Amino acid sequence: MPEFPANTPKSIADALSAPADGLIEHVTAEHPRWEGNIFKVVQLDVDQPDGTPGVRDIVWHHGGAGVAAVRDGKLCLVRQWRVALDRMTLEIPAGKIDPGEDPAICAARELAEETGLVAERLDYVASSAGAPGFTNERTRVFLAHGLSTHPAHPDSDEFVDVLWVPLQDVIDASRLGVIMDAKTIIGAYAALAAGM
């Protein structure tokens, strides 16, 4: 039986630990296809639940961390061009976790680098698996408390504008599909629920 935190709702723990013989795929072989600085791509041979063979293309990734920072009812967002989407996005400050790095350390570093903000405290909110059908990437989202402002120092290949957007506008934009970034939506709703 899988281990869950003690405060996991019983309905969730029961659903995840119920017998799953007819659902589990077993990996029989892994074929590396490509490896870069941030992720690697592999092709997996699997035995599907009905015994037939299958193939899964998977992206292994160390994951990331992001921070929802609110001041005077406004959420701190970074505006940047995302080549994969071919568009401008608004996202909470975030970045990739280095191998073995504590997600909270990553979140604090990215917040300071991208925005110059330093938080007295970061509270963990959620872990998002944005595309579990093909990647193990998880993004941990934190709420910032006790903000102070310092000079930003983004990475040399990082080009962002920092904006403070009314929290309700971020919620409305996510409902309209204008803001689609999962970590940003999670952070915005967590800040709303916290009454920030």
Side-chain angles (χ1 to χ4, degrees):
M1 176 181 248
E3 292 292 321
F4 302 107
N7 57 348
T8 300
K10 185 177 181 333
S11 62
I12 301 299
D14 288 349
L16 291 174
S17 59
D21 295 338
L23 300 174
I24 297 173
E25 295 184 347
H26 297 280
V27 176
T28 59
E30 180 175 321
H31 311 283
R33 297 298 186 219
W34 182 84
E35 186 166 351
N37 294 328
I38 298 174
F39 61 86
K40 69 179 179 177
V41 179
V42 299
Q43 192 170 70
L44 301 178
D45 296 335
V46 299
D47 284 338
Q48 298 179 106
D50 65 359
T52 60
V55 176
R56 303 288 177 257
D57 294 323
I58 303 293
V59 176
W60 299 132
H61 189 288
H62 293 294
V67 182
V70 179
R71 182 183 279 162
D72 301 324
K74 295 180 178 180
L75 181 62
C76 181
L77 298 177
V78 292
R79 180 176 176 259
Q80 60 189 321
W81 184 261
R82 291 296 196 183
V83 173
L85 298 176
D86 193 33
R87 62 172 282 197
M88 198 67 70
T89 65
L90 294 173
E91 304 172 33
I92 60 173
K96 69 177 180 63
I97 296 172
D98 292 329
E101 183 179 30
D102 181 313
I105 299 296
C106 172
R109 180 187 70 244
E110 293 295 332
L111 179 66
E113 285 179 1
E114 294 182 4
T115 70
L117 295 171
V118 174
E120 290 177 7
R121 186 178 91 239
L122 293 177
D123 289 344
Y124 172 77
V125 171
S127 184
S128 170
F134 74 89
T135 182
N136 69 336
E137 179 185 12
R138 289 187 305 147
T139 301
R140 285 71 162 195
V141 180
F142 296 84
L143 280 179
H145 300 275
L147 295 171
S148 59
T149 305
H150 305 270
H153 46 92
D155 292 336
S156 61
D157 62 349
E158 197 167 39
F159 303 94
V160 299
D161 290 334
V162 177
L163 305 170
W164 290 89
V165 179
L167 183 56
Q168 189 59 54
D169 288 358
V170 176
I171 298 292
D172 293 345
S174 70
R175 288 181 178 150
L176 292 169
V178 176
I179 291 179
M180 300 180 291
D181 177 60
K183 68 184 174 298
T184 301
I185 295 168
I186 292 167
Y189 275 95
L192 186 67
M196 299 180 98

